[in-house]
Structure formats: structure tokens, C-alpha cells
Amino acid sequence: MDAQGRGRADNIDPADQWVLNPDTGEYELRLSSSGPQSSVPGPRRSASRSSAGRARSATPGRDTRQSPAPDLVPGPRRRRGVPDEPPPGRRRGRTKPKKSRTKKIVLWTGGSMAFVLVAVTAAGYLYLKHLEGNVQTTDVGDAAKSGFSKDDAFNLLIIGTDKRTGAGNEGYGDKNSVGHADTNILLHVSKDRTNATALSIPRDLIVDVPDCETKQSDGSKKVIQGTQNVRFNTSLGQFGRDPGCTMRTVKAVTGIVPDHFMMADFNAVKTLTSAVDGVTVCVGKAVNDPDSHLKLPKGESTIEGEQALAFLRTRHSFGNQGDLDRIKVQQQFLGALSRKMTSSDTLTNPKKLLDLAEAATKALTVDIGIGKVSTLKDVALELKKVPPKNITFTTVPVIDNPAEKVHATVVVNQTTAPQVFDMIKNDVSFTAVKQEKKKEKAAVAARLKGSRSAASDIRVDIYNGGALSGAAQETLSWLQNTEGVTKSSQLGNAGKTLSKTTLEYSPDQADQARKLADLMGLPAAQMKPGKSEKNSQGLPAIVLTLGKDFKGAGKPLTTPSKAPENIQKATADKQVCST
């Protein structure tokens, strides 16, 4: 190596050896001059022609070239034509040029940070795979969606099972239980993430459990026959039923289709509450329950672990000592847990976050559609967008089972429950949230303002866009024979699936559209001005497409705008004392 090459090698700071590789876009550590070199030219040699001649005539083997001046920093490319001889003055012996201390600190810090980032990235990937190994999944077939969409409303069925699994659970529940659906909450999150509704389903609700296809351990499929007039909690575990059977039962009872499920046992309560250092609950009177071993003073208390589980399981300390009162306590607890999990005290504490990640993934069994940790993270982030004040806890409206003399079970209240179910199905909030802008809302409402044509003047083509089979023909018969809309035609399937029924029309057909909307009980928001089509006679016709919300010919499609007055409600942002 010549003197120039030696000088450059001697004066390179190790932090300078991190070089951007243009092929990969990543920084690489270059430890020797034998490695790949940068394409940028190095400094030009500093000897003039005359000094070069003197160097050639010097004693062989001896380096007679000039050392760089002590105050010059090697490295930057010199401008062409600028002399590089040292300034006049006394020359010193060979010394290393001084590098700025600040620059060294920055470079060394940058190099160290690069190592840290690489280590953290690698550790993060490994930790993510570790967490993924914690999560158990169950294949429930078409009862659940195959993936999760961040752009749609979604329904998540949360199941708490009474199965005694895991160390420390020997004293809880029925030791012979196959794992029934002990606690059940259907969580609906709105499409715009402004609100969510957590609908508790009593375990003692009398339902018909439908036939259910389950996947066996050997990969085969088995259809488990349904049962009628049984408790809801038997939709899981009984006869080998899996969570998909519970999801199908929810659909049969409410008409609401769960997209995914999450299931946890006793350990979930203990580990999650311990991971966040406890949650704060409130009781209106002192509690001393020998059955659940719960002891709490009047007022607020912070509970975790075994005590938190006892709080959820107690049935003899609140209200009428029944399951409906226990549901209210569970809702209060879940609200407190959600506040603690999303508090700054938790989110800014790395240890708590890691503990929470471990506890949550170990506690859960989910469907394969959300079985990856990255997908569970997406679900959590979408939930985090909902303001706690707009998360409503409510319960399926029920009445005592009229078939029983001694009331032990309940049945759906057919007076108020359908309105609750319709609100959830149609993504209507149970709390007052900001919806459309006033001008937009007024413009939508204006679609129903104006004159109406006679029913006999309405020309309409009817399509099925997601309603039950035969719905279009049923509607055609009803409109022609009952309502006098004789110029109507049924044209089969629309070729698309709509969640809501729509009515499309051109501006000059607005009077026909308003009349048909009145007959159908169609909201203004589902009227779509702008276009129509030609019917079989080549005449302009408005287009009615029946969506999934279609309830039957003659049944109004108007969605309730608020919940019934007499249903039980609570929101996640408020602390409520159980009594």
C-alpha cells in the first residue's frame, strides 16, 4: 500500500465504515479496504510534478512523500487546480489529523444506533412469532370470515367458557364441564369507528341451537344435530359443539351475523388484570360472598388475579342474585378493564405492554381468520379508534320464561328486542354521535319532500340484491295485487349483493320514487337520484334492488334511530357502582 492509501486507512473512524449499499438500500459495515469500494473517487495525490521527481530519485523503499498538514482533515475531494502543498512553517513529525469530537460522537452514536435498530428489528420479529405461537385457533368453517377488513363494520363474538383448564382453576366452575358458553358478548363496531355496541347474551336464554358442522381433530367434518328450547350456553361444548355453533346460534336468535370470535377461560381474567396492575371497580355496599370468596369494602377497589375472577363470578352479592345482575357487573368490569388497558399509564409502560401482550395471546382462542398476531393487532387498533363514551354495554331484552312456574330461564322480549337487533344490523349507534353534516342531512331528507304520483303511474323494475330467495317475486305480487303498482316487473338477481335496499331514479321520476318509498317504508338515505333504466317496453323505469335488510313485502325498511327507552344501557367511559 502506498503512503496515500496508508494515510486514508489510518485516519478512518470506525463509524465511517457504515456504507450505503446502492443495490440493497441498506447500510453495511465495511471492515477493510479489500471489501467493496465506493464508486466515489478518493482525494487526488498531493505531490507536484517536481516533488514526484524527487520521490522517484530517492532511496528505494523509503517513503519520501510529504505528510499531510496536521490541521487538514483528510477525506473531502480537493478542487482541481488548488495546490495541496502544506502551508509554510515548521513541519512536525507524522501525526494523525484531529477529527472533530462532536463528529466522532455523532458517527459513533449513529453506528451504535444502527446495531441497536438491527437487534430490535430482529428481536421484534422473533417476539412477534413467539406471540403468534401463544394464540390458539379453531377452524369453524364458514361460520367466520376468512379475513379481517379494516374498512367495514364488524361483529366480534366474545365467549367466556366455564371449562376448568390451567393451573389454579381447580376450585372454579363445574369440574365435569365440557366448556359451555358461560359469558357471551356480541361486540359490534361501526363502519366509521365512531361507536360500538357490546350486547350481552344471557347464558340462561332459551333458544333453538341450529345444526352445526364442526371440524374434527383428524380433519374430517361432522354435523352436530341442533336442539330446541335449550339454554344458550349449551351452544358450546355440548355434544362436541365448537365456537362456530355459538356463532350460528347468535345469528339464529338475533339475525346478526358474527364475523369472528374470541374465546377465553378463567385464566384470561386473572392474567389480564395482573398484567395491567389491576382494574378499579365500585360496589355500593360491602361484599362478603362465601361462595365466590369475594370480599370488598363499600366504594372503589382495585382488583386483579383471583379477586378479579371472584368479582365476575359472584352471583349472590348484587341485585336479585341472578344471571342478569351478574351481567351488569361483568359489563362494569369490562368497561374498567378497557379504560385501564388504553390508559397512558399502560400505553407508555413497556413492561406492562409486554406483559399485556403475553397475557392476551396466551388467554385467547380465535378463529383462523384473525389467528395471526398482526391481524389481532389490526383488530385492536380499530377498536382503539372508538371513543369510550360511545361504547355502549347493553343486554338482549328478555322476559321470564312463561313456561316455568319457578323462574330460572328467560326468553327474548319480542316487543323491544327486534328494535335493538335492527339497530346493530343497520350500524346505528346507541349513543349520540356526530353523523352527517347538517347540509348533507337536509339534502337527504329533501328526497322525500315533494309531490307523489299515483301508484298506477309507477314504472319499476325489481331485482334481488341480497334478500332471501323469492323476495323479488313476492314484492312484485304485493305491489301489483295489493298496492296497485301495475307497471312493475321482476327481473331476477341483480348480480351484486347490497346490505341495504336501494331505489334508483332519474330527476323526472322523483314523484314516482317518493310514492314507492312511502309504500316500501324506505328511508330517504336509501333513495339514489341520478339514473334509471329502460323497462321491457323501452320506457324509463325506476330500479328497486332488494338488499339484505329486506324484511318481506309490506314490512317497512325504516331503521330505528334510537334504542328503546326501557332497555338497560351503560357506556365504557363511566364508572358505575354495582349494588
Side-chain angles (χ1 to χ4, degrees):
M1 181 184 293
D2 63 14
Q4 179 189 6
R6 185 168 61 249
R8 291 172 62 196
D10 289 343
N11 292 295
I12 287 181
D13 190 299
D16 287 328
Q17 294 178 300
W18 285 92
V19 180
L20 179 65
N21 187 329
D23 296 326
T24 64
E26 298 180 354
Y27 282 89
E28 298 177 357
L29 185 61
R30 305 288 173 82
L31 297 178
S32 71
S33 60
S34 61
Q37 298 299 312
S38 170
S39 61
V40 180
R44 297 177 65 86
R45 296 191 178 185
S46 60
S48 66
R49 184 172 298 177
S50 59
S51 61
R54 287 195 298 273
R56 282 193 297 268
S57 62
T59 305
R62 183 178 176 184
D63 185 0
T64 60
R65 290 178 231 182
Q66 299 286 348
S67 298
D71 293 330
L72 291 180
V73 178
R77 184 171 180 171
R78 296 174 175 84
R79 293 184 180 180
R80 182 174 298 175
V82 177
D84 50 7
E85 291 289 339
R90 182 178 179 183
R91 296 186 180 182
R92 299 173 183 172
R94 179 181 295 274
T95 58
K96 288 186 179 181
K98 293 181 180 178
K99 186 183 287 286
S100 161
R101 176 176 175 80
T102 302
K103 183 178 179 183
K104 274 194 173 186
I105 292 173
V106 171
L107 289 172
W108 268 110
T109 303
S112 301
M113 184 57 70
F115 278 120
V116 171
L117 289 175
V118 170
V120 168
T121 301
Y125 173 79
L126 293 175
Y127 187 66
L128 185 68
K129 301 308 289 183
H130 161 72
L131 291 177
E132 209 150 277
N134 289 343
V135 181
Q136 297 184 60
T137 60
T138 297
D139 186 353
V140 294
D142 61 4
K145 288 187 175 179
S146 58
F148 174 72
S149 172
K150 294 188 285 186
D151 299 320
D152 297 321
F154 63 91
N155 299 314
L156 179 64
L157 181 61
I158 303 169
I159 305 171
T161 175
D162 62 356
K163 190 172 184 178
R164 283 174 37 169
T165 56
N169 291 327
E170 295 82 3
Y172 297 109
D174 179 3
K175 66 180 181 179
N176 298 315
S177 175
V178 291
H180 292 122
D182 193 53
T183 301
N184 310 276
I185 296 176
L186 180 63
L187 178 64
H188 170 79
V189 181
S190 69
K191 182 175 181 176
D192 61 8
R193 307 298 188 248
T194 61
N195 66 93
T197 303
L199 180 70
S200 292
I201 304 172
R203 66 176 188 176
D204 294 331
L205 178 68
I206 295 299
V207 298
D208 292 342
V209 178
D211 293 348
C212 174
E213 183 179 85
T214 61
K215 192 170 184 179
Q216 306 301 299
S217 57
D218 61 0
S220 63
K221 294 180 180 179
K222 176 183 178 181
V223 175
I224 300 174
Q225 188 175 357
T227 50
Q228 287 71 49
N229 292 315
V230 293
R231 280 179 165 87
F232 181 89
N233 67 342
T234 61
S235 64
L236 178 68
Q238 198 82 359
F239 310 121
R241 291 180 176 131
D242 65 14
C245 301
T246 308
M247 297 173 75
R248 291 182 172 92
T249 304
V250 170
K251 178 183 177 181
V253 173
T254 67
I256 304 167
V257 181
D259 299 313
H260 303 284
F261 83 87
M262 289 183 179
M263 183 171 65
D265 61 12
F266 294 139
N267 274 326
V269 177
K270 295 190 286 187
T271 56
L272 286 174
T273 53
S274 295
V276 296
D277 292 338
V279 298
T280 301
V281 297
C282 181
V283 293
K285 61 181 180 180
V287 174
N288 186 359
D289 185 353
D291 292 327
S292 67
H293 309 295
L294 177 66
K295 292 183 179 181
L296 290 176
K298 180 180 178 180
E300 291 188 352
S301 298
T302 298
I303 59 175
E304 65 175 281
E306 298 286 348
Q307 194 177 30
L309 182 58
F311 182 78
L312 287 180
R313 290 187 54 77
T314 185
R315 296 188 64 174
H316 305 294
S317 302
F318 307 109
N320 295 321
Q321 302 185 11
D323 190 50
L324 295 180
D325 290 297
R326 187 176 69 160
I327 285 175
K328 295 178 184 178
V329 173
Q330 292 170 348
Q331 292 172 349
Q332 181 211 141
F333 174 84
L334 289 174
L337 179 60
S338 67
R339 289 193 298 273
K340 187 63 178 287
M341 290 173 66
T342 57
S343 68
S344 58
D345 181 52
T346 300
L347 296 178
T348 58
N349 187 318
K351 183 181 183 303
K352 282 187 182 180
L353 284 176
L354 291 177
D355 288 347
L356 188 57
E358 287 285 349
T361 51
K362 287 180 179 178
L364 294 176
T365 299
V366 301
D367 60 273
I368 58 177
I370 56 173
K372 292 185 177 180
V373 170
S374 57
T375 308
L376 289 172
K377 176 205 70 176
D378 288 341
V379 174
L381 290 176
E382 294 306 303
L383 285 171
K384 190 176 182 296
K385 293 178 182 178
V386 183
K389 67 178 182 179
N390 290 334
I391 301 176
T392 302
F393 289 98
T394 189
T395 305
V396 172
V398 295
I399 57 174
D400 289 331
N401 188 352
E404 296 175 337
K405 291 184 178 179
V406 178
H407 297 307
T409 61
V410 293
V411 296
V412 172
N413 184 339
Q414 295 299 336
T415 302
T416 53
Q419 187 172 343
V420 172
F421 300 155
D422 281 350
M423 289 182 69
I424 294 174
K425 281 190 290 185
N426 290 285
D427 206 20
V428 178
S429 174
F430 281 67
T431 57
V433 297
K434 187 176 181 180
Q435 301 288 351
E436 298 169 302
K437 296 178 181 178
K438 289 184 178 180
K439 289 184 179 180
E440 293 175 348
K441 191 172 183 180
V444 169
R447 295 171 190 169
L448 283 172
K449 294 180 180 180
S451 61
R452 268 78 168 160
S453 70
S456 58
D457 291 335
I458 299 174
R459 281 192 299 270
V460 57
D461 289 343
I462 307 167
Y463 294 89
N464 190 328
L468 295 175
S469 178
Q473 182 60 48
E474 176 191 357
T475 302
L476 175 68
S477 300
W478 172 72
L479 286 174
Q480 290 183 339
N481 300 324
T482 304
E483 300 299 332
V485 184
T486 55
K487 298 175 183 177
S488 49
S489 304
Q490 188 273 113
L491 300 180
N493 291 327
K496 57 184 177 181
T497 301
L498 302 178
S499 60
K500 295 185 178 182
T501 298
T502 61
L503 180 59
E504 300 175 81
Y505 57 95
S506 60
D508 60 343
Q509 297 169 309
D511 58 342
Q512 296 180 41
R514 284 190 285 266
K515 179 62 177 178
L516 186 59
D518 290 344
L519 296 175
M520 297 288 298
L522 192 68
Q526 291 170 240
M527 298 173 67
K528 307 296 180 184
K531 63 178 182 178
S532 61
E533 68 179 22
K534 301 288 185 180
N535 67 6
S536 57
Q537 289 80 39
L539 299 172
I542 60 180
V543 180
L544 176 67
T545 306
L546 305 177
K548 290 182 178 180
D549 63 338
F550 182 72
K551 303 172 184 178
K555 296 182 179 179
L557 290 166
T558 305
T559 301
S561 59
K562 61 179 182 178
E565 294 293 334
N566 56 345
I567 68 166
Q568 172 261 326
K569 289 194 302 180
T571 53
D573 63 319
K574 295 178 181 178
Q575 177 72 274
V576 179
C577 288
S578 300
T579 56

